[in-house]
Amino acid sequence: MLLQSLNRNVWLLSVSHIFSFAGASVTFFLGGIIGALLAPTMTMATLPVAASVVGTAIGTVPAAILMSKKGRRFGFMGAAVVASGSALIGAVAIWHSLFWLYCFSCLSLGVSYAFVQHYRFAAAESVAIELAPQAISAILLSGIAGAFLGPGIVKYANNWIPQHAFVGSYLVLAIIVALPAIILFWLKIPKPGTKTKGNTGRTIRQLGQQPNFVLAVFAATVSYALMVFLMTATPVSMHSMDGHSIDDTGIVIQWHIVGMFLPSLFIGKLITHYGHRTMMVAGIGALGICIGVSQVNQAVAGYWVSLVTLGIGWNFLFVSSTSLLITTYQEAEKYRAQAFNELMVFGVQAIASLSAGWLLTTTSWQTINIMSLPLLGALLLVIWWSHHQLKLPKKALG
């Protein structure tokens, strides 16, 4: 069983991830819709979602630096407080119809989520290396609850203040995202400071000479960029352009997030049995189905199939890449390697999210899906290249 051999740290992080991820799911669900209501032009509708992604990109390196000095628990608890304050700012922005303040709220929520992204690393560090894929999967699996909690908050509190839709949702969200600050008080992860004197480890350039490191970073970057690119555009395409109801849009987003995390029940075992590269190729296949369905069906059912397979493809690629990454660095190098990985993932993701709204409104849902194909092709080439490099003699690898 997935959680059979996992310890208390993994359980605490998994429960906390439920509440932390609620903030991200609300942003992806409502960001484009609220943006369409508040933005000066329709082309700026997805800017709040993009701001969230940019915030995560901005926060990646500071998150790694802070936790390398103060420890994981300090960073995680502080991020929960920041997230709560950001949700309150969002409520104020919606109340007063302040588009740029709402963008700032999403930006700061994104910064807090840069810390949450390290939950998976903290979980992997809490177990034996052979259990790392299962520990990472446990964190991602908890996102299913967050997937339903976020939109559930929206529906439950949406009309608390009738003249200001969504204000109540953000007030409740401020409470929800603060809960990890309490839960993680019992997290027991040793503080940094045990490195051997003078041992700073390899540089990023040296780490980048490993084919597995290159593949892990590239696969994580591509999977997250494509997922956010298409998920950012979905609410606007479904609700604002194709006229599907907000309830149907919410259901599709919920099931997309289920697709993102439900495979975590078994992906760890599959990686152990079949290997990282095989599961990455399977993830690319799922993304191919997503793109194919988007070309022929823009009904609710078509969006549902596209977004669920998008989530499954992301899960296969992201868990495989993360569990491969942790095998490529030593203790003294972990924060450096993790910071570089997160910077690449969320830097490219920010570009994808920023471009999604403009490309959607100037082209179409089908077209932006087709635009994803070159990246999938490039990822297949990197998988093949890295496998070939590992089979070469060590001298040939330099």
Side-chain angles (χ1 to χ4, degrees), residues 9-25:
N9 278 352
V10 179
W11 281 98
L12 290 171
L13 289 163
S14 297
V15 173
S16 296
H17 188 249
I18 294 172
F19 302 113
S20 298
F21 189 75
S25 64

Side-chain angles (χ1 to χ4, degrees), residues 62-366:
I65 292 173
L66 180 64
M67 287 188 286
S68 71
K69 297 181 182 299
K70 296 292 187 179
R72 299 283 196 196
R73 187 175 72 162
F74 180 88
F76 294 155
M77 293 173 70
V81 174
V82 171
S84 181
S86 301
L88 290 175
I89 293 173
V92 172
I94 298 167
W95 180 286
H96 293 287
S97 299
L98 299 173
F99 175 69
W100 294 109
L101 185 62
Y102 180 66
C103 288
F104 175 77
S105 166
C106 293
L107 179 79
S108 55
L109 265 171
V111 171
S112 73
Y113 201 60
F115 288 80
V116 174
Q117 287 296 320
H118 282 259
Y119 279 21
R120 70 191 197 277
F121 294 124
E125 292 160 9
S126 300
V127 299
I129 189 66
E130 62 270 16
L131 290 176
Q134 288 94 313
I136 295 165
S137 294
I139 301 300
L140 297 185
L141 183 62
S142 65
I144 293 177
F148 284 92
L149 180 62
I153 289 169
V154 174
K155 293 178 182 178
Y156 172 69
N158 181 30
N159 294 317
W160 277 12
I161 306 173
Q163 64 271 36
H164 296 285
F166 305 121
V167 169
S169 301
Y170 271 80
L171 292 175
V172 175
L173 182 64
I175 298 171
I176 295 297
V177 295
L179 293 178
I182 301 171
I183 297 168
L184 294 177
F185 181 81
W186 288 274
L187 186 68
K188 300 294 182 184
I189 293 180
K191 287 187 176 182
T194 58
K195 288 188 284 189
T196 303
K197 189 174 181 180
N199 179 22
T200 59
R202 292 166 291 179
T203 64
I204 292 298
R205 189 170 185 175
Q206 291 169 326
L207 288 169
Q209 294 174 5
Q210 304 173 87
N212 279 347
F213 183 83
V214 174
L215 174 59
V217 174
F218 190 72
T221 301
V222 168
S223 63
Y224 235 123
L226 291 184
M227 187 272 291
V228 168
F229 180 61
L230 297 177
M231 190 166 85
T232 299
T234 298
V236 177
S237 181
M238 274 194 75
H239 180 64
S240 302
M241 299 178 74
D242 286 340
H244 298 301
S245 72
I246 193 168
D247 286 340
D248 285 338
T249 304
I251 289 170
V252 166
I253 294 297
Q254 281 180 324
W255 280 99
H256 163 68
I257 300 175
V258 170
M260 287 172 63
F261 297 124
L262 187 61
S264 297
L265 280 170
F266 51 82
I267 185 65
K269 294 290 186 182
L270 291 177
I271 291 170
T272 301
H273 190 269
Y274 294 106
H276 301 91
R277 286 169 179 77
T278 299
M279 299 317 301
M280 287 181 185
V281 172
I284 292 172
L287 293 176
I289 294 172
C290 163
I291 294 169
V293 172
S294 73
Q295 302 310 301
V296 297
N297 193 335
Q298 285 79 56
V300 173
Y303 278 106
W304 185 90
V305 172
S306 293
L307 269 290
V308 169
T309 52
L310 175 65
I312 293 171
W314 172 85
N315 182 280
F316 280 27
L317 284 164
F318 194 64
V319 177
S320 298
S321 60
T322 301
S323 57
L324 181 61
L325 179 72
I326 64 175
T327 68
T328 65
Y329 55 75
Q330 301 166 2
E331 177 67 21
E333 304 158 353
K334 71 178 183 181
Y335 287 107
R336 182 181 305 127
Q338 291 166 10
F340 178 78
N341 181 74
E342 302 299 274
L343 181 62
M344 290 299 296
V345 168
F346 292 101
V348 176
Q349 182 184 339
I351 296 171
S353 185
L354 283 167
S355 62
W358 178 77
L359 287 171
L360 176 65
T361 54
T362 55
T363 59
S364 67
W365 171 247
Q366 298 100 311

